[in-house]
Amino acid sequence: MLDGFTAWPPEFADRYRALGYWRGRTLGSLLRERALAVPDRLAVVAGDHRWTYAELDDRADRLAAGLHHRGLAAGDRVLVQLPNVAAFVPLCFALFRLGAIPVLALPAHRETELAHLARLSGAVAYVVPDVHLGYDHRALARTLRAEQPTLREVLVVGVPQEFTALDAVDAEPVPLDGPAPSDVALLLLSGGTTGTPKLIPRTHDDYAYNATASAELCSFGPDTRYLAALPVAHNFPLACPGVLGTLAVGGTVVLAPTPSPDDAFPLIERERITATALVPPLALLWLEAAEWSLADLSSLELLQVGGARLKAETARRVRPVLGCALQQVFGMAEGLLNYTRPEDPDQTVLETQGRPLAAHDELRIVGPDDREVPPGETGELLVRGPYTIRGYYRAPEANRAAFTPDGFYRSGDLVRRLPGGHLMVEGRVKDVINRGGDKVPVEEVENLLLAHPAVHDAALVGVPDDALGERSCACVIAHGTAPTRAELNAHLTGRGLAAFKLPDRLVVLDAFPRTALGKVNRRELAMLIRESDRG
Ligand code: OOB
């Protein structure tokens, strides 16, 4: 078994198997089954590529063989940082079949995150695009390889320069031992609560359930044409039901290069898309664009929205403007998924964040003393279940804080449960700013701010924002002359911080409000900023 992975205790594993959650299937076998059943159906559309199930299955096998010949073995970690390009799909299946483990970084991540992920995972290979949205990922690969001795291989989608083209990795399929269903299939990134992202080990058994049960709940089938508009490395478009859920039932996955209406709407019209997933700020953008767009969106049956709290006003506009059903999704890469159901009354769909996917998801809503709050009251959501991890990868210390001794994950989300079991997300206890679904880890940004010579002390707080839900505001106590926001952002970018983590605002203060223990009082700081905004 993979070192640094916390498995479910045997009595839970037995139970999840007996109850039919874990079916002993690998992710690679989900594709194989469909390829045997419906070889000629269209599986993936992206850019100029249109692959049938047989073609996708064959490409995955040949890539797996090629990687095997290059020395990649079961259990090896492979850092994958790809945008929504066709190659992402066969690459994932090739790694699943080899038992090698993709570490799914987002295209927006930069050196800070990637260096941390390479080190933490001990990745032996790194897969990148050549240039994406003006950024040359090969330059980053060069830096990482110099720093990280385990990193043997860089594989490039596009022009490889001194590295290897992913396309050129191709060999006659060979028999592979393959992974066991209980093995770790992939490592997802956490939204990040303290410092840099943590790694979330998801097994074949649990992730196959995640994807297939989600597909069933959403009534996905062979006629589903799913548009992956969000970055496919994220759990939501990947497996909720997303790409994996669609492929598991023989539907067609269409990858959009960006989620902007300019890219997505023509694809919806051309490919007769039936379902897609967005974060709330994008849903808002699509609603605005749809008012003037001439694109025919009439094929769209389902819009899933999740990642951050959706306002009821926005939710209400979905059906009249886009002509499709809305589904709210409150999920986390750590596991638990909550969905509103197609049969739920309108009010439930518009105003709640859904209820758990599995009958055996165990939820506790607790107060600061870890005791359950009375029904209907707000508390922190703790969860345990057949697809919720028992520990982050190689993070014993973080795990002591993030999991209870009896294995519940502390989500950090403040929720309220309605009598029917639906949840409403009321806020967060953890230090993450949810910038329209992008999770900004407060501590990581603060640490980098503190490294600037003109910064004496720094606190990053979230301030309410109509479009994004929250925006980040850097509060700084200066050393001498106060820095400007442009100076600070240049400093953060220079340290390799992703653009979405750069503070949206800067406020220079003489002192911070403190708690009795002397910790920065963030709540009061946020209130101070709000009051000064009101003038
Ligand atoms: C999804 O996953 P992550 O891992 O990027 O972020 C999880 C966190 C949750 O703990 C919660 O704080 C927030 O994002 N969140 C929501 C939400 N959905 C997620 N907050 C309010 N309302 C919602 N509907 O974001 C994710 C994973 C799978 C499916 C959908 C979203």
Side-chain angles (χ1 to χ4, degrees):
M1 199 179 27
L2 191 66
D3 74 290
F5 163 60
T6 313
W8 283 263
E11 64 274 23
F12 282 88
D14 291 346
R15 194 160 155 243
Y16 296 147
R17 281 191 195 100
L19 289 166
Y21 291 105
W22 296 357
R23 305 222 163 149
R25 292 157 80 192
T26 58
L27 297 176
S29 75
L30 294 182
L31 173 62
R32 180 80 80 229
E33 273 174 30
R34 285 304 91 204
L36 291 172
V38 289
D40 299 326
R41 283 197 76 105
L42 194 56
V44 174
V45 175
D48 298 333
H49 299 276
R50 298 183 81 81
W51 285 329
T52 63
Y53 273 86
E55 287 165 341
L56 173 63
D57 188 55
D58 185 53
R59 175 68 191 132
D61 273 346
R62 298 188 63 95
L63 184 52
L67 292 168
H68 170 76
H69 292 316
R70 298 181 75 88
L72 203 72
D76 283 345
R77 275 80 60 206
V78 175
L79 193 51
V80 176
Q81 187 184 25
L82 290 178
N84 292 6
V85 290
F88 177 88
V89 185
L91 174 66
C92 283
F93 282 104
L95 296 173
F96 295 153
R97 285 178 179 173
L98 265 173
I101 302 171
V103 180
L104 295 181
L106 296 173
H109 285 136
R110 291 292 175 263
E111 195 184 334
T112 319
E113 294 90 2
L114 270 307
H116 163 79
L117 295 172
R119 223 176 296 128
L120 177 61
S121 67
V124 299
Y126 180 32
V127 188
V128 291
D130 46 12
V131 178
H132 176 61
L133 302 177
Y135 185 81
D136 192 335
H137 286 261
R138 294 161 301 193
L140 179 51
R142 244 164 248 137
T143 314
L144 282 196
R145 210 166 50 163
E147 283 172 7
Q148 183 58 38
T150 59
L151 210 59
R152 295 195 307 261
E153 286 250 39
V154 175
L155 301 164
V156 182
V157 175
V159 180
Q161 293 178 334
E162 75 267 40
F163 305 120
T164 304
L166 185 68
D167 267 350
V169 182
D170 177 71
E172 274 308 306
V174 288
L176 299 163
D177 288 340
S182 56
D183 285 345
V184 173
L186 73 166
L187 290 161
L188 294 170
L189 272 51
S190 74
T193 56
T194 49
T196 27
K198 290 192 279 288
L199 291 175
I200 296 168
R202 303 292 302 261
T203 63
H204 288 272
D205 265 332
D206 96 73
Y207 214 50
Y209 170 77
N210 189 113
T212 56
S214 295
E216 196 182 325
L217 187 148
C218 297
S219 308
F220 276 25
D223 294 327
T224 296
R225 288 177 299 277
Y226 176 82
L227 183 74
L230 294 171
V232 280
H234 190 275
N235 186 36
F236 189 12
L238 184 60
C240 307
V243 173
L244 296 180
T246 302
L247 293 177
V249 297
T252 301
V253 168
V254 178
L255 303 181
T258 79
S260 84
D262 290 350
D263 283 324
F265 286 10
L267 282 173
I268 295 176
E269 176 171 325
R270 191 184 85 198
E271 304 295 337
R272 306 297 297 154
I273 295 299
T274 60
T276 190
L278 294 174
V279 291
L282 284 171
L284 207 57
L285 188 69
W286 280 34
L287 288 170
E288 273 154 30
E291 306 262 10
W292 52 258
S293 166
L294 299 176
D296 175 6
L297 307 180
S298 60
S299 57
L300 208 54
E301 293 165 10
L302 174 71
L303 174 66
Q304 303 179 286
V305 181
R309 178 72 189 257
L310 177 69
K311 287 195 181 144
E313 301 97 85
T314 313
R316 246 183 285 284
R317 290 172 56 203
V318 169
R319 161 119 16 226
V321 177
L322 294 171
C324 66
L326 167 73
Q327 177 182 58
Q328 294 212 40
V329 187
F330 162 40
M332 49 203 76
E334 287 82 357
L336 178 69
L337 300 172
N338 300 278
Y339 291 103
T340 59
R341 306 300 203 264
E343 64 276 15
D344 282 341
D346 281 353
Q347 199 190 355
T348 306
V349 174
L350 297 175
E351 293 176 7
T352 81
Q353 281 65 60
R355 62 184 174 82
L357 171 63
H360 293 84
D361 282 322
E362 301 172 71
L363 274 61
R364 299 179 60 207
I365 300 175
V366 303
D369 57 1
D370 263 6
R371 291 213 207 139
E372 289 201 40
V373 297
E377 286 188 18
T378 300
E380 184 186 0
L381 173 66
L382 311 187
V383 59
R384 185 167 82 171
Y387 58 100
T388 297
I389 58 163
R390 292 302 187 109
Y392 292 106
Y393 178 61
R394 291 185 171 167
E397 207 173 308
N399 286 341
R400 276 189 286 278
F403 295 84
T404 65
D406 54 351
F408 281 79
Y409 166 61
R410 297 180 190 276
S411 73
D413 292 318
L414 292 172
V415 305
R416 195 153 66 80
R417 187 164 31 199
L418 305 181
H422 286 76
L423 302 177
M424 293 183 74
V425 182
E426 304 284 349
R428 228 181 22 250
V429 293
K430 293 194 293 201
D431 283 343
V432 195
I433 295 168
N434 193 338
R435 203 172 168 278
D438 280 333
K439 314 302 183 317
V440 181
V442 166
E443 201 179 298
E444 177 189 7
V445 180
E446 287 176 354
N447 287 339
L448 289 174
L449 284 170
L450 284 171
H452 189 279
V455 173
H456 170 70
D457 203 355
L460 194 74
V461 295
V463 289
D465 179 83
D466 278 345
L468 293 176
E470 270 188 302
R471 263 178 209 274
S472 63
C473 175
C475 302
V476 160
I477 303 174
H479 255 321
T481 313
T484 63
R485 188 168 75 95
E487 278 163 16
L488 284 180
N489 284 356
H491 159 84
L492 297 172
T493 305
R495 299 272 167 138
L497 196 73
F500 71 85
K501 297 181 185 174
L502 298 177
D504 295 300
R505 285 182 58 188
L506 170 69
V507 172
V508 179
L509 297 166
D510 293 331
F512 292 152
R514 305 255 169 198
T515 65
L517 278 173
K519 292 208 275 184
V520 176
N521 190 334
R522 294 171 187 285
R523 186 187 289 246
E524 211 164 295
L525 201 51
M527 269 163 42
L528 258 165
I529 295 164
R530 242 176 285 177
E531 276 163 25
S532 76
D533 282 350
R534 284 196 210 104

